[in-house]
């Protein structure tokens, strides 16, 4: 039986903003990373959290792995703020200042944390070929960034397949993360396609029958089933 570590990364954007602290507690540690979606109202058509919010989470949960997904334009200003706030991994978009992408990924690594590069559904994997050597993670967006609760774009898994092949051919080490529209019905497919980290927002926090902790346990069970049948 072949196994590999799968990281469950619930997106707190899917929780009721008035109950974020309680929502983190409600997961009862059945997650690996806490995914923080940062939106500036410019790169995407929505606003979310600032670096002070990340800092408060870091202070309240010192041991949490903070997976910060920056959907922003002003990297120069905002990136250092999230590094300082205690992010464990910062992912930046390939579409944001592509001329600075390599340098920005290096800047993240130099701060002693993990670097990630994200691509929107309309961006081909080819656009990030030349920065894969400095990425600890590649985030494949499976919805248009900006909002939770959208429908999964299945074609994104073709990019995951491609990234798996490139990683093997070039002996790279990046993890592959999928973000958008993941739920209990498609998580197994994502894992089979080669995803290592799974982001899920509304599926975890807006389930009418299950608590966040129960959803995550079911997700873990679905993932384990993939390996049991391999
Ligand atoms: C979308 C965000 C996602 C989103 C996931 O811009 O990057 O992380 O919150 O939410 P769901 O799982 O509801 O698609
Ligand atoms: Zn995200």
């Amino acid at each position: 039986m072949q196994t590999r570590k799968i990281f469950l990364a619930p997106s707190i954007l899917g929780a009721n903003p008035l109950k974020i602290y309680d929502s983190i507690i409600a997961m009862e540690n059945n997650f690996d990373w806490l995914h923080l979606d940062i939106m500036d109202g410019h790169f995407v058509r929505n606003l979310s959290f600032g670096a002070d919010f990340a800092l408060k989470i870091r202070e309240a949960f010192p041991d949490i792995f903070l997976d910060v997904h920056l959907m922003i334009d002003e990297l120069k200003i905002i990136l250092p703020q999230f590094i300082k706030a205690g992010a464990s991994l910062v992912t930046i978009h390939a579409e944001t200042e592509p001329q600075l992408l390599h340098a920005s990924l290096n800047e993240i690594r130099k701060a002693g944390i993990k670097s990630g590069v994200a691509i929107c559904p309309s961006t081909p994997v080819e656009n990030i070929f030349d920065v894969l050597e400095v990425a600890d993670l590649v985030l494949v967006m499976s919805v248009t960034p900006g909002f939770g609760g959208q429908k999964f774009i299945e074609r994104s898994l073709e990019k995951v397949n491609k990234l798996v092949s490139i990683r093997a051919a070039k002996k790279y080490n990046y993890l592959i993360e999928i973000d958008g529209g993941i739920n209990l019905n498609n998580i197994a497919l994502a894992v089979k396609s080669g995803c290592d980290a799974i982001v899920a927002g509304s599926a975890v926090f807006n389930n009418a029958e299950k608590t966040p902790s129960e959803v995550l346990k079911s997700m873990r069970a679905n993932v384990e089933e993939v390996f049991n049948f391999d």
Side-chain angles (χ1 to χ4, degrees):
M1 187 178 68
Q2 190 208 340
T3 52
R4 58 196 162 89
K5 172 87 181 148
I6 302 295
F7 300 89
L8 295 182
S11 166
I12 207 65
L13 188 75
N16 178 337
L18 287 181
K19 297 183 185 160
I20 285 179
Y21 180 85
D22 293 343
S23 298
I24 296 174
I25 300 288
M27 293 191 282
E28 299 175 326
N29 286 321
N30 288 302
F31 65 99
D32 301 289
W33 300 350
L34 188 72
H35 188 81
L36 259 193
D37 286 304
I38 309 304
M39 305 178 180
D40 64 355
H42 198 252
F43 181 76
V44 290
R45 294 174 186 162
N46 198 6
L47 286 164
S48 63
F49 315 108
D52 49 348
F53 176 77
L55 180 63
K56 289 296 168 207
I57 291 189
R58 170 52 74 226
E59 285 171 1
F61 302 96
D63 299 326
I64 227 165
F65 186 96
L66 257 191
D67 165 19
V68 174
H69 176 193
L70 294 182
M71 287 162 275
I72 59 161
D73 273 330
E74 287 294 340
L75 266 188
K76 258 196 303 301
I77 299 167
I78 306 295
L79 173 59
Q81 293 180 1
F82 277 89
I83 292 174
K84 207 167 154 216
S88 312
L89 155 73
V90 177
T91 296
I92 56 179
H93 266 266
E95 302 84 2
T96 307
E97 302 181 322
Q99 76 282 11
L100 296 178
L101 191 54
H102 198 280
S104 303
L105 290 167
N106 266 325
E107 184 185 338
I108 297 169
R109 279 185 158 185
K110 274 193 205 122
I113 60 175
K114 304 283 183 203
S115 65
V117 56
I119 46 174
C120 290
S122 54
T123 303
V125 168
E126 285 71 13
N127 286 27
I128 55 168
F129 270 1
D130 296 333
V131 300
L132 288 175
E133 57 178 1
V134 287
D136 298 305
L137 175 139
V138 179
L139 185 158
V140 175
M141 290 284 336
S142 40
V143 297
T144 299
F147 297 89
Q150 302 178 71
K151 191 177 174 302
F152 182 65
I153 301 171
E154 201 163 321
R155 274 201 68 171
S156 316
L157 295 178
E158 289 171 23
K159 292 189 204 176
V160 173
N161 292 153
K162 234 184 226 179
L163 285 161
V164 170
S165 307
I166 298 166
R167 182 173 58 191
K170 299 273 189 185
K171 300 197 166 47
Y172 290 148
N173 291 313
Y174 53 77
L175 295 173
I176 303 169
E177 184 173 48
I178 190 104
D179 185 1
I182 295 286
N183 55 42
L184 281 167
N185 298 322
N186 58 16
I187 186 169
L189 183 65
V191 171
K192 271 186 214 150
S193 304
C195 300
D196 306 293
I198 310 284
V199 179
S202 38
V204 172
F205 297 105
N206 297 324
N207 186 306
E209 278 116 48
K210 291 177 194 252
T211 65
S213 169
E214 286 166 351
V215 174
L216 289 161
K217 280 189 204 155
S218 301
M219 285 185 160
R220 180 69 67 198
N222 289 6
V223 166
E224 272 160 20
E225 223 167 281
V226 172
F227 297 119
N228 286 337
F229 283 104
D230 267 358

